[in-house]
Amino acid sequence: MSDIVVFGAGGTAGSRIAVEAFQRGHRVVAAVRRPEATSYLPAGIRVVTGDATSERSVRELAPEADALVVAIGGGERTLWPDAVRALFGALRDLPDPPRIIHVGGGSTLLTPAGTRLLDEPDFPEEYREAALGQAEALALYRSSPDGVSWTYVSPPPLEFHPGERTGRYRTGTDHPVTDAEGRSVLSYEDLAVAVVDEIERPRHRNMRFTAAY
């Protein structure tokens, strides 16, 4: 059993990660900006006011945690790098800091030519700012201070929707995982499975991984 804090547990990804971890017997804290909006979470999940972009907020929750899951969204470009900086600052002086699991963007994955998907000419302009913010967060992790243990999780870049929990997925690192038809598909429910699997059995310390069917 692990103590897991999920920042963004009121969102589509974060709520599923929190529930998946709780149903597997972990102690889960849902850290959200509006606790009143999380009544749908199981009663055994402790809901607190928390903000991943606040070093003070992270410092209050981190000491008793084994893992901090960052599954935040809906903000401006600076949201994700601000969260990474707050996490680094809060964990700096802890003797045994928790591991960070960051749910990032699929647009930072690479094309067969080795370029980022977000840099392709046909990348949708309405998603560019968020994609650049997630890309900056990934770069910060890759230059993280000594003693920080992190994993950045990228979902498929396009076909990623709420759906069924199958418990099945395949993993890759910097390129999308595709099926025989060239599609990269995953449900939010199975992303949650992949995240909790990574917490329970670490295979991607200080690196990015992606998952799809």
Side-chain angles (χ1 to χ4, degrees), residues 1 3-4 23 29 32 77 100 107 115 121 124 130 136 167 179 207:
M1 180 186 294
D3 290 288
I4 301 170
Q23 290 179 341
V29 173
V32 295
R77 173 176 173 173
I100 304 167
S107 58
T115 58
E136 185 177 347
D179 61 18
M207 62 184 295

Side-chain angles (χ1 to χ4, degrees), residues 44-89:
I45 294 178
R46 182 163 69 94
V47 180
V48 302
T49 301
D51 180 358
T53 66
S54 165
E55 187 173 326
R56 177 178 178 180
S57 181
V58 176
R59 190 179 292 114
E60 290 174 349
L61 294 168
E64 303 303 319
D66 298 303
L68 303 177
V69 176
V70 181
I72 58 176
E76 298 181 354
R77 173 176 173 173
T78 58
L79 176 71
W80 298 278
D82 284 350
V84 179
R85 294 186 185 99
L87 288 159
F88 288 172

Side-chain angles (χ1 to χ4, degrees), residues 52 83 94 122 130 148 174 192 200 211 213:
L94 290 181
D122 59 349
V148 174
D174 288 327
E200 293 180 344
Y213 298 126

Side-chain angles (χ1 to χ4, degrees), residues 27-151:
R27 289 182 292 264
V28 179
V29 173
V32 295
R33 293 184 175 182
R34 295 191 302 116
E36 69 276 6
T38 58
S39 58
Y40 51 87
L41 292 174
I45 294 178
R46 182 163 69 94
V47 180
V48 302
T49 301
D51 180 358
T53 66
S54 165
E55 187 173 326
R56 177 178 178 180
S57 181
V58 176
R59 190 179 292 114
E60 290 174 349
L61 294 168
E64 303 303 319
D66 298 303
L68 303 177
V69 176
V70 181
I72 58 176
E76 298 181 354
R77 173 176 173 173
T78 58
L79 176 71
W80 298 278
D82 284 350
V84 179
R85 294 186 185 99
L87 288 159
F88 288 172
L91 302 185
R92 181 174 47 220
D93 299 323
L94 290 181
D96 186 22
R99 186 176 173 210
I100 304 167
I101 309 291
H102 183 110
V103 180
S107 58
T108 59
L109 293 167
L110 304 181
T111 68
T115 58
R116 300 181 304 182
L117 290 167
L118 68 90
D119 295 324
E120 291 297 286
D122 59 349
F123 186 81
E125 196 60 36
E126 62 267 29
Y127 301 127
R128 187 172 301 281
E129 287 300 296
L132 289 169
Q134 287 282 21
E136 185 177 347
L138 178 57
L140 288 170
Y141 282 120
R142 285 175 166 165
S143 60
S144 61
D146 292 341
V148 174
S149 179
W150 60 271
T151 297

Side-chain angles (χ1 to χ4, degrees), residues 158-177:
L158 293 175
E159 298 189 68
F160 178 48
H161 310 286
E164 179 185 0
R165 182 195 186 281
T166 70
R168 298 181 298 101
Y169 61 88
R170 295 177 296 134
T171 62
T173 52
D174 288 327
H175 294 83
V177 174

Side-chain angles (χ1 to χ4, degrees), residues 17 69 101 103 153 190-200 209:
I17 294 167
V69 176
I101 309 291
V103 180
V153 187
D190 282 329
L191 178 78
V193 174
V195 167
V196 180
D197 283 351
E198 180 64 26
I199 293 172
E200 293 180 344
F209 81 94

